Amino acid sequence: MKSFKTIIDGLKRGPVDCVGIDFGTATTKLVRLRNAGTDVQLVAAEILPPSAGDLVIPPRVRAHYAGITTSRGHAITKLLTFPGAIDSAFQARLRKSLGLNDEDDSRISYRLITEGQGRVESRALAVSLDHATADPLLQHFSSGIPVPQSLEIASLSALTAFEYGPVANAHGQAIGLIDFGTTKTTLSFFYRGSLVLMRQFDFGTRSLFERVETALHVDTQTAQGILADSAFDVSELLGDIMNPVINQFVVSRDFIERRENCSDIKLLATGGVALSKAAMQEIEQALSVDIAVWNPLEGLTIAPQALAPEIEDQHWRLGAAIGAALAVLEAS
Amino acid sequence: MSLSVDLITPEERRSASAINVKSLSRIGAIILPTLIIFAMGHLALKGMLTSSRLRVLESRWESAEPKQKQSLKLSKRLHYNMQTATELDAWKTSRIEWHQQLRAVMETAPTSIQATMLVIAANRNAAAPASPPTRKFTLNLEGKTSGERAMLFVESFKHRLETHPATTGIVEAVAVANYGADISTSAGEFDRVFRIECQYRKRPEETTQ
């Protein structure tokens, strides 16, 4: 006989309307998505300035359910590869695998990407986020709507959106994404629709801007303009700061080509650095490939007036919020 | 398949639906005890009211019981008196003005007839003692007559008696019950004896009861 809870759960309809909320280091991005059956519609999007107080969600992006994601705090993301199947020992050593001590007060979770048997490797995506960051975020949703359905790391949420668009359209071809965050850059490769490599580097838009600002004695806005339109030759400057990370890009790409026995990897980039022609030229030159800018809205149906004019040229900032909302809709 | 790695705990995951086990349990936890308390209070109040009403009724009964007994006594007595009154009424109704009947006999009897005996008998109905009494009278008149036309005298007497205003509507039937020669020693050849029987209607009439 079915339990009372099972019957009640059966009566419930999963979320079809959800807001993805990306608590970034500088701003909060909100994207409301609706599952329209065959496709997913972007109903509205907002980028809110930083606020110390309560989160006030504009009515146009308000939904009953929320997928929360953040790039704040001390988050660790690792794609773990190990022989054999997942067992209890894996969960026991998960904290150690993430490089956490027993004293670290963090939330830990993982998702199995592929499960191996015998000599075949298993692959799991493991994350941790400190309670000091996670708990205050969830406090915003302790009562009323929206109801939080998930709490994720922004870099992984962006990958969910990337998987929904370019990966789904790659038809098994190897494809990679360079996601330039404010403080961290995430490099991911997908092959045959599955995540095969993910690395994070302590390099972000902020460090790049700071370097330009210091070297050229300009303010942040001017530095952004210089990097965007290549008005000055900053290739040498960029080379100094970006070469270590570019080298890692090359190494990672070569590693994937060898390990997965694939070539002609398509690469896309997103984030603030991706808007800089000069920076992208440096990377393209090193990797000997053309790198397209990924539009996170790819694959979504855009409702009329969903995007306010002030965020019309900032689609690239919505990737994580879209991914968080997509994950909630997919889970239902 | 999304790459979502969820860090939210099951305790933090709420339902946006108005219907969930938790909310139903909470509502039930409030409503059920309230209903039980309300029902118990209602029953207690009802019991108290019933008890109070019972006390009032008992005190009323205490004061009403002697009256009720007295009333029953009076009612029985009334019934008895009414029965008696009905009986007396029936006796009154069934009474016949015999002086008128006797006068009718005198007026209708031909001079050639000599009455020897007149018996009035009453037959009282005893079949249903509860019902009002009825009486049915019979008047037997014996007499003598003489002559060759003696039979004619008797028949004439019977006819006149039957049609006399005093007997009309009262007498049911008049019949010559006996007619024959006088067998007494002193009787002559043409002496005859007879008996006329008058059957009176039952009184009071059944229809009038």
Side-chain angles (χ1 to χ4, degrees):
Chain A
M1 190 182 162
K2 287 181 179 177
S3 71
F4 182 61
K5 190 176 187 310
T6 313
I7 294 166
I8 292 290
D9 287 344
L11 292 172
K12 287 181 194 167
R13 204 168 57 129
V16 292
D17 191 10
C18 174
V19 56
I21 305 174
D22 174 16
F23 290 96
T25 48
T27 55
T28 301
K29 281 79 77 179
L30 300 101
V31 175
R32 183 179 173 192
L33 297 186
R34 184 178 289 145
N35 193 343
T38 52
D39 56 355
V40 177
Q41 187 185 44
L42 189 146
V43 180
E46 292 278 354
I47 297 178
L48 304 181
S51 166
D54 289 342
L55 173 72
V56 180
I57 299 175
R60 62 195 297 265
V61 287
R62 192 183 288 271
H64 275 80
Y65 296 93
I68 303 161
T69 189
T70 185
S71 51
R72 295 178 190 171
H74 181 62
I76 301 169
T77 309
K78 281 190 178 178
L79 184 62
L80 303 172
T81 305
F82 51 94
I86 291 271
D87 53 14
S88 55
F90 166 76
Q91 296 192 31
R93 64 173 184 266
L94 188 57
R95 179 172 283 272
K96 199 174 175 184
S97 302
L98 283 165
L100 293 169
N101 299 320
D102 290 341
E103 297 79 43
D104 289 331
D105 189 19
S106 297
R107 292 168 183 248
I108 298 171
S109 186
Y110 72 95
R111 174 181 281 268
L112 196 61
I113 304 295
T114 53
E115 182 160 25
Q117 287 289 336
R119 289 186 173 183
V120 181
E121 288 178 331
S122 291
R123 204 175 294 146
L125 194 56
V127 299
S128 78
L129 180 66
D130 58 311
H131 277 288
T133 303
D135 296 355
L137 292 182
L138 288 169
Q139 275 299 312
H140 290 300
F141 309 95
S142 56
S143 62
I145 60 167
V147 172
Q149 293 292 294
S150 63
L151 173 63
E152 298 180 57
I153 306 300
S155 54
L156 288 184
S157 299
L159 284 187
T160 299
F162 185 68
E163 195 182 30
Y164 182 81
V167 175
N169 297 327
H171 307 293
Q173 188 197 344
I175 187 167
L177 175 70
I178 306 168
D179 181 2
F180 295 102
T182 308
T183 57
K184 282 188 177 178
T185 295
T186 307
L187 174 68
S188 314
F189 287 102
F190 290 80
Y191 184 52
R192 291 174 180 157
S194 178
L195 182 68
V196 290
L197 183 90
M198 195 198 70
R199 294 185 67 191
Q200 284 195 322
F201 309 100
D202 288 329
F203 167 79
T205 317
R206 185 179 290 166
S207 55
L208 185 63
F209 288 165
E210 281 172 0
R211 185 64 186 269
V212 174
E213 284 167 43
T214 312
L216 300 178
H217 303 288
V218 291
D219 60 12
T220 308
Q221 206 170 357
T222 311
Q224 283 178 6
I226 290 168
L227 285 168
D229 58 17
S230 302
F232 294 87
D233 182 11
V234 289
S235 56
E236 196 178 338
L237 190 65
L238 288 173
D240 284 349
I241 187 170
M242 289 186 69
N243 273 346
V245 75
I246 290 173
N247 286 339
Q248 288 301 314
F249 290 168
V250 175
V251 168
S252 300
R253 196 268 314 268
D254 293 349
F255 170 73
I256 287 300
E257 282 182 344
R258 281 198 303 278
R259 194 182 72 174
E260 302 295 333
N261 194 22
C262 61
S263 59
D264 195 20
I265 297 175
K266 187 180 174 185
L267 266 177
L268 291 96
T270 189
V273 178
L275 302 176
S276 164
K277 288 177 188 170
M280 293 312 292
Q281 277 169 2
E282 288 289 321
I283 300 167
E284 285 174 337
Q285 210 173 339
L287 289 165
S288 306
V289 289
D290 290 332
I291 300 174
V293 175
W294 171 51
N295 178 7
L297 306 186
E298 184 186 334
L300 300 173
T301 308
I302 316 294
Q305 291 161 352
L307 297 163
E310 59 268 23
I311 63 166
E312 198 61 54
D313 58 346
Q314 298 186 47
H315 300 166
W316 55 274
R317 301 177 77 181
L318 304 174
I322 289 171
L326 279 173
V328 172
L329 294 179
E330 191 182 82
S332 67
Chain B
M1 190 191 83
S2 77
L3 293 169
S4 163
V5 184
D6 198 358
L7 290 161
I8 206 166
T9 60
E11 294 77 35
E12 288 166 332
R13 186 174 285 115
R14 296 186 288 119
S15 168
S17 167
I19 303 169
N20 59 50
V21 175
K22 212 172 179 180
S23 66
L24 285 179
S25 309
R26 279 179 185 169
I27 293 166
I30 295 165
I31 288 176
L32 273 179
T34 310
L35 282 177
I36 290 168
I37 289 167
F38 182 77
M40 285 174 70
H42 180 70
L43 284 174
L45 192 69
K46 205 172 169 183
M48 283 163 69
L49 282 172
T50 308
S51 172
S52 158
R53 276 182 64 191
L54 181 65
R55 276 199 298 275
V56 170
L57 288 174
E58 275 175 351
S59 80
R60 276 189 197 168
W61 175 245
E62 273 174 23
S63 63
E65 193 180 15
K67 288 179 188 169
Q68 194 246 8
K69 282 180 180 171
Q70 180 70 19
S71 169
L72 276 175
K73 251 185 216 174
L74 287 172
S75 171
K76 274 182 189 172
R77 198 165 168 181
L78 174 71
H79 183 68
Y80 175 77
N81 288 343
M82 283 177 76
Q83 248 186 338
T84 307
T86 308
E87 197 173 341
L88 288 172
D89 197 44
W91 281 112
K92 185 187 170 190
T93 316
S94 65
R95 189 174 64 86
I96 290 176
E97 300 287 345
W98 286 111
H99 67 282
Q100 291 175 359
Q101 299 300 312
L102 291 175
R103 181 177 284 172
V105 170
M106 283 170 63
E107 286 172 2
T108 56
T111 52
S112 55
I113 275 178
Q114 180 188 355
T116 56
M117 190 167 66
L118 190 141
V119 177
I120 296 169
N123 182 15
R124 187 185 172 191
N125 176 26
S131 60
T134 57
R135 285 186 295 179
K136 188 168 182 178
F137 293 98
T138 309
L139 184 149
N140 279 299
L141 176 69
E142 289 182 6
K144 289 179 181 178
T145 186
S146 184
E148 289 178 350
R149 297 167 61 193
M151 182 61 190
L152 193 64
F153 297 149
V154 172
E155 282 295 330
S156 168
F157 179 36
K158 179 222 160 197
H159 178 71
R160 288 173 66 182
L161 188 60
E162 202 171 21
T163 56
H164 191 276
T167 61
T168 305
I170 296 174
V171 173
E172 191 174 57
V174 180
V176 180
N178 186 31
Y179 179 82
D182 189 355
I183 56 169
S184 63
T185 52
S186 57
E189 186 186 352
F190 295 105
D191 289 346
R192 296 287 186 269
V193 290
F194 67 89
R195 183 166 63 89
I196 290 175
E197 189 179 277
C198 285
Q199 292 283 348
Y200 284 81
R201 291 181 191 278
K202 193 161 69 177
R203 293 177 71 89
E205 294 284 351
E206 280 179 347
T207 52
T208 61
Q209 287 176 10

